[in-house]
Amino acid sequence: MPGENLSRDEARERAALLSVDGYDVSLDVRSAVGDDTGDGPRTFRSVTTIRFRCAEPGASSFADLIAPSVTTVSLNGRDLDPGEVFDGSRIALEDLAAENELVVDAQCAYSRTGEGLHRFVDPEDGEVYLYTQYEPADSRRVFANFEQPDLKAPFRFEVRAPEEWTVWSNGVGEVADGVWKFAETKPISTYITCVVAGPYHYVTDSYQRVFEDGTRLEIPLGAMCRKGLAPHFDSDDVFLVTKQGLDFFHDHFDYPYPFGKYDQAFVPEYNLGAMENPGLVTFREEFIFRGKVTQASYEGRANVILHEMAHMWFGDLVTMEWWDDLWLKESFADFMGAFALVGATRFKDGWITFANRRKAWAYRADQLPSTHPVTADIRDLQDAKLNFDGITYAKGASVLKQLVAYAGQDAFLEGARRYFKRHAYGNTRLGDLLSVLEETSGRDMAAWSRAWLQTAGVNSLTPQVLLAADGRVDELAVVQEAAESHPELRPHRVAVGLYRRSASGAPERYARAEVDVQGPRTVVAELAGSDAPDLVLVNDDDLTYCKIRFDQTSLETLKGHLGDITDPLARALCWSALWNMTRDALLPARDFVDLVLRFAGRESGIGVLQMLHAWANSALVNYVAPNWRPVGERLLAEGALRELRAAEPGSEHQLAWARFFATVASGADDLGLLRGLLEGTAKIDGLDVDQELRWAFLQPLTAHGAADEGVLAAELARDNTASGKRHQVRCLAARPSAAVKAQAWAQLAESDALSNALVEATIAGFAQPSQRELLAPYAEKYFAVIERVWRERSIQIAMHVVEGLFPSLQHSQATLDATDAWLAAHEDAAPALRRLVLEARDDLARGLRGQACDAGAAGQ
């Protein structure tokens, strides 16, 4: 048998053969507490009974299980020899009957990588916390099953746990004699089953609704976190957004929430943002804020809450047949998260965040060599793991936003309602959704799908303005271009905005026209005769998915007056377009840095401001000419400090500038100020240096050799928590020492002792932009170890290591050549591994092109 990496063909063959009637899963997790007694992995007992039918009696198939050992296997009352039928990842099933019962008693391993049943020991109080995380295929690490999304079934879970613990699962639970038994679920896929167990802090609330026909719906609400985070847990806000979301989706979906209760668990060392397990959604605990954060953080959390809630319908109630159609849940949830955020909560600028942040993720992913259509070709589970990307989420959501404009919001939502009712508790493909949308909109969804869902790449749209003798617009056209690798020119519904400077100097829109862009050049006839514009903004109001370009007049206007644009969405779109031009080596990176220095201080949107900080730092690290980098570092540090001192005391803008100042600080005076703020000998009016900000200030001090291991140990003593430990590990790895780098490398590449969270923290500390020479020897070592790392480590940890340790700071042709040499010599390496290396290579090559552009503009 091939092993862990289930292929699409195998899944289709098994789905045609088998149908599953139900699971009974019994877990004994009492072994999670107490001292570790053996050399091998810590394990728990897992007993699974699967009732299933076979369409071809006498045929053979297999069940999935990844476990250190199997005690017994019974098929239809026959005891099978585990040594013969279990190969470490699959259980062979031969001579199946029409109706079957499989019972598997196994010892499964607790996880330290966030895959399967993760076990976490809180350093603050020694308490043990458990939770599961499965997507796409890690439930087989916890119980035997048929691990593919289209073999849905009801589940009954039973968990024996320490008496002082509470246990949660998808259904409502009751406990007797230390055994928790949970109500049977509706038919769901294996990857969205869930168990959370431990001494969690738990709070409750209730959602109630009366429908027009008088029917009442009551949903018990719960929210939980580790006890150590309870003082920081603002559960009232979590419940507020939850209730607003439930109201919004009930108003628009006309299908009552189908999974009974609605618990939300904020759990430690979580690999993802969140996971849509029906009735028990899991989130990374970083969404509980230990210190002061900006409203962008609260907006981000609300968006994730709503994203996961949308999955209760898109993904859980109706699930894709195979991971090819992952977009059927993720694109919709990403779109619905923003749609509900703006429509139901206090975060009315959600579409600005979407345009500025989510689309930036999509634009990057869509220009990588691994870009793919929204409906992807997913050959196996490793492909699936890597396709939770900016295409599947953000591009798909952007395309859906355009679809709403194309089909009409009412038709779109009516299509969704029919989709839920027609396919409830079932599995679907692309055609199932398109058919209902054609019914409700009357539009040709096949043509739209071919252009937007079944081709890859992003188009660029550039305005072309011809003026008449009287100075007015004679003709205004939109020129559409595509990359040679993905030449598809798509239909775009866009708004074209004309702006001119007012008496105050602010560019203000005075004309707007919507037009369907088709082919390489489209004339916007409605704007002929308009006054000559100072700025033409293609895709004004962000109706389509494209890269915006500018004509020369518009670009000059932005260089002088970007900060004066009063409309926040238009301003955000211009910033995004300028960043794309920087990444595409069309705008020198130092010019982008200059724009940030001159105009970011006037940015009112806190989410946009924080994005500008990230882009400016990326420009400095990756895109400016190397010999200008020290100048850029000084200018950004001076600018950040200037804005920090000028910001309103105690404001979120002050906090954002403080964090950015810490990111770019490098000179002795800058580091001295950070040290003074930590020690209390310096002060900036209104700036509260809380524990999270203390760690943010310690990172640059450590990276530049201004804080040693003793300082970090003292800080950990001050903040002896799980969060504090992660911060300390990151700072330790950031120290500018060859011995420190060698130790960090060994922990990451040669050992699997670190948990997933500490792997991430160590990687974050290892690669410091100020330490390029110190890191240079690891470029060669990287290419020597990655194939072994991919083979020996779990895919999640392997992804962290392969992505995080790539020598991206070694901006040279030699590094590019070394990458190409590895790719040429390893054509038979795992496709998912090659994809990660190809993506890193593309980022490196893009950086070199950007540096050449920056140097050329300066005449170097």
Side-chain angles (χ1 to χ4, degrees):
M1 294 183 183
E4 295 184 19
N5 194 20
L6 179 73
S7 73
R8 177 176 53 202
D9 290 342
E10 290 175 310
R12 286 177 176 171
E13 181 180 342
R14 186 164 63 176
L17 187 66
L18 306 182
S19 56
V20 188
D21 296 318
Y23 287 83
D24 288 297
V25 179
S26 177
L27 307 176
D28 187 342
V29 298
R30 290 175 296 176
S31 57
V33 298
D35 295 334
D36 200 349
T37 58
D39 294 332
R42 184 187 288 257
T43 62
F44 59 93
R45 188 183 182 194
S46 169
V47 181
T48 307
T49 301
I50 314 175
R51 298 173 299 280
F52 64 101
R53 285 166 285 143
C54 178
E56 301 176 16
S60 300
S61 189
F62 60 92
D64 300 295
L65 177 69
I66 298 175
S69 65
V70 171
T71 307
T72 62
V73 179
S74 170
L75 177 62
N76 299 329
R78 304 192 321 267
D79 289 336
L80 307 180
D81 183 350
E84 293 183 0
V85 300
F86 178 60
D87 67 357
S89 61
R90 297 183 178 186
I91 300 170
L93 305 175
E94 296 182 354
D95 193 22
L96 292 171
E99 296 185 358
N100 302 272
E101 182 176 272
L102 174 67
V103 182
V104 180
D105 187 343
Q107 289 293 316
C108 295
Y110 293 104
S111 170
R112 300 185 71 249
T113 66
E115 302 153 293
L117 180 59
H118 188 81
R119 177 180 179 268
F120 173 78
V121 181
D122 193 331
E124 188 173 1
D125 55 19
E127 296 280 18
V128 175
Y129 294 88
L130 304 179
Y131 65 86
T132 58
Q133 171 55 36
Y134 297 149
E135 192 175 40
D138 284 319
S139 65
R140 55 191 169 153
R141 298 181 185 274
V142 178
F143 60 93
N145 58 56
F146 301 115
E147 186 80 283
Q148 57 190 80
D150 57 343
L151 287 178
K152 285 185 164 184
F155 287 81
R156 288 197 296 255
F157 281 92
E158 174 183 296
V159 181
R160 184 177 294 275
E163 290 188 3
E164 64 275 16
W165 280 17
T166 306
V167 183
W168 295 264
S169 188
N170 304 88
V172 174
E174 296 182 349
V175 62
D177 300 322
V179 178
W180 291 79
K181 295 185 177 181
F182 296 91
E184 185 175 71
T185 71
K186 299 288 188 179
I188 58 176
S189 301
T190 54
Y191 76 91
I192 51 176
T193 59
C194 187
V195 171
V196 173
Y200 284 89
H201 169 72
Y202 184 60
V203 290
T204 61
D205 204 332
S206 177
Y207 170 83
Q208 298 183 24
R209 182 182 180 93
V210 179
F211 295 99
E212 291 183 358
D213 63 359
T215 304
R216 298 182 65 87
L217 174 67
E218 181 170 354
I219 303 173
L221 305 179
M224 70 198 79
C225 66
R226 288 185 297 112
K227 290 190 294 185
L229 285 175
H232 309 287
F233 193 19
D234 53 339
S235 56
D236 286 349
D237 193 50
V238 170
F239 286 138
L240 172 64
V241 173
T242 301
K243 293 176 184 179
Q244 290 170 332
L246 288 169
D247 272 339
F248 185 86
F249 291 128
H250 281 121
D251 287 344
H252 288 84
F253 288 168
D254 190 31
Y255 196 109
Y257 171 71
F259 297 110
K261 69 181 180 70
Y262 201 86
D263 282 324
Q264 296 174 94
F266 294 80
V267 298
E269 297 192 322
Y270 202 56
N271 287 323
L272 311 177
M275 184 64 207
E276 67 268 17
N277 316 302
L280 182 52
V281 182
T282 42
F283 298 82
R284 64 186 302 118
E285 68 178 17
E286 285 79 2
F287 283 123
I288 299 174
F289 307 120
R290 298 198 314 152
K292 182 178 179 180
V293 297
T294 69
Q295 281 300 304
S297 295
Y298 289 102
E299 178 186 321
R301 181 177 70 184
N303 184 279
V304 174
I305 289 172
L306 297 170
H307 174 115
E308 304 308 322
M309 187 179 293
H311 273 311
M312 299 300 120
W313 290 267
F314 285 106
D316 294 358
L317 177 66
V318 184
T319 311
M320 69 277 154
E321 184 176 294
W322 177 248
W323 302 102
D324 291 346
D325 283 312
L326 176 62
W327 80 281
L328 280 173
K329 72 183 189 79
E330 294 302 348
S331 298
F332 273 88
D334 219 46
F335 168 77
M336 284 293 173
F339 187 45
L341 189 74
V342 174
T345 76
R346 65 187 184 272
F347 303 107
K348 300 305 179 185
D349 289 336
W351 287 122
I352 297 177
T353 304
F354 181 85
N356 195 245
R357 184 177 295 270
R358 299 301 282 182
K359 279 192 167 182
W361 182 29
Y363 293 143
R364 175 188 176 272
D366 214 5
Q367 296 173 88
L368 291 169
S370 58
T371 188
H372 55 86
V374 175
T375 54
D377 179 25
I378 304 298
R379 298 160 295 185
D380 53 37
L381 290 177
Q382 287 193 5
D383 277 358
K385 183 73 172 179
L386 268 64
N387 263 47
F388 290 84
D389 60 9
I391 304 295
T392 302
Y393 283 72
K395 180 181 179 179
S398 303
V399 168
L400 289 177
K401 188 171 185 279
Q402 176 161 307
L403 175 61
V404 172
Y406 174 67
Q409 180 173 304
D410 291 342
F412 176 80
L413 291 171
E414 176 58 26
R417 290 188 281 267
R418 294 187 190 184
Y419 179 71
F420 300 144
K421 292 171 183 175
R422 194 168 297 175
H423 302 288
Y425 305 109
N427 296 87
T428 56
R429 295 183 179 184
L430 167 64
D432 298 310
L433 178 69
L434 297 183
S435 65
V436 295
L437 289 174
E438 283 190 348
E439 291 173 15
T440 58
S441 70
R443 295 273 196 168
D444 179 5
M445 287 294 125
W448 176 86
S449 173
R450 283 192 298 273
W452 283 104
L453 299 179
Q454 296 168 279
T455 59
V458 56
N459 301 133
S460 61
L461 301 182
T462 307
Q464 191 177 77
V465 183
L466 301 177
L467 298 179
D470 62 1
R472 293 180 175 275
V473 174
D474 183 50
E475 181 181 87
L476 192 151
V478 176
V479 176
Q480 179 178 193
E481 296 175 290
E484 290 183 10
S485 56
H486 300 284
E488 179 81 15
L489 297 180
R490 299 179 179 86
H492 296 264
R493 181 68 177 177
V494 301
V496 179
L498 303 187
Y499 293 73
R500 63 185 171 201
R501 292 168 53 200
S502 65
S504 66
E508 295 180 354
R509 189 169 73 187
Y510 64 94
R512 177 187 184 275
E514 289 194 18
V515 64
D516 290 316
V517 172
Q518 302 276 355
R521 190 173 187 274
T522 302
V523 174
V524 188
E526 187 177 334
L527 295 178
S530 300
D531 289 342
D534 296 317
L535 167 66
V536 181
L537 182 55
V538 177
N539 199 29
D540 207 352
D541 299 322
D542 197 37
L543 299 184
T544 193
Y545 172 81
C546 70
K547 290 194 294 186
I548 299 170
R549 302 298 197 209
F550 299 108
D551 65 320
Q552 192 59 39
T553 299
S554 297
L555 188 57
E556 293 304 317
T557 298
L558 291 174
K559 287 181 176 180
H561 301 280
L562 174 55
D564 297 324
I565 298 174
T566 56
D567 180 74
L569 177 56
R571 197 168 59 244
L573 290 170
C574 290
W575 277 118
S576 177
L578 291 166
W579 176 240
N580 277 321
M581 291 175 65
T582 304
R583 293 187 72 249
D584 290 346
L586 298 175
L587 180 72
R590 69 186 66 191
D591 287 2
F592 185 83
V593 170
D594 179 64
L595 288 166
V596 171
L597 287 169
R598 289 193 293 122
F599 297 127
R602 299 166 63 182
E603 179 54 55
S604 60
I606 191 64
V608 174
L609 176 62
Q610 290 176 285
M611 200 76 236
L612 292 179
H613 289 162
W615 288 343
N617 188 56
S618 179
L620 184 67
V621 171
N622 299 304
Y623 298 109
V624 302
N627 61 357
W628 190 80
R629 193 174 292 127
V631 177
E633 289 174 350
R634 177 179 55 79
L635 291 174
L636 279 177
E638 291 174 353
L641 182 57
R642 182 174 60 251
E643 296 295 345
L644 169 58
R645 295 190 184 281
E648 180 183 346
S651 67
E652 60 182 357
H653 282 67
Q654 183 189 55
L655 176 62
W657 282 108
R659 289 187 170 277
F660 183 53
F661 174 64
T663 300
V664 296
S666 60
D669 290 343
D670 299 338
L671 298 174
L673 176 58
L674 291 177
R675 186 185 299 107
L677 290 169
L678 282 172
E679 296 173 351
T681 58
K683 184 178 180 181
I684 294 177
D685 188 27
L687 184 66
D688 177 19
V689 184
D690 59 28
Q691 187 59 63
E692 287 296 295
L693 198 54
R694 289 182 65 84
W695 284 114
F697 289 175
L698 272 169
Q699 165 113 10
L701 288 171
T702 306
H704 290 283
D708 59 18
E709 188 174 358
V711 172
L712 297 177
E715 196 66 28
L716 182 63
R718 176 190 178 107
D719 182 26
N720 188 24
T721 64
S723 299
K725 182 62 177 177
R726 290 195 297 272
H727 288 308
Q728 185 222 20
V729 166
R730 185 182 71 251
C731 289
L732 284 171
R735 291 172 293 164
S737 157
V740 165
K741 299 305 175 187
Q743 180 185 32
W745 178 269
Q747 290 174 325
L748 294 168
E750 309 298 336
S751 168
D752 63 355
L754 294 180
S755 70
N756 56 324
L758 297 187
V759 165
E760 289 185 74
T762 304
I763 289 172
F766 179 81
Q768 296 298 310
S770 60
Q771 300 168 3
R772 294 172 196 264
E773 291 184 9
L774 196 60
L775 297 170
Y778 292 95
E780 183 178 352
K781 294 180 180 180
Y782 172 86
F783 293 110
V785 303
I786 55 174
E787 197 164 26
R788 175 181 56 76
V789 166
W790 192 263
R791 183 174 63 250
E792 295 178 356
R793 311 291 284 278
S794 75
I795 188 170
Q796 185 68 51
I797 298 300
M799 287 169 61
H800 286 322
V801 172
V802 172
E803 291 178 303
L805 294 186
F806 183 85
S808 58
L809 293 173
Q810 307 305 312
H811 285 110
S812 69
Q813 186 62 43
T815 309
L816 201 63
D817 291 344
T819 308
D820 289 338
W822 185 90
L823 289 166
H826 294 82
E827 292 185 356
D828 59 345
L833 170 59
R834 285 182 56 83
R835 169 176 169 167
L836 293 177
V837 176
L838 280 164
E839 289 177 349
R841 183 214 181 273
D842 190 76
D843 283 338
L844 179 65
R846 183 179 289 273
L848 291 173
R849 293 194 297 271
Q851 291 175 18
C853 169
D854 191 62
Q860 298 172 4

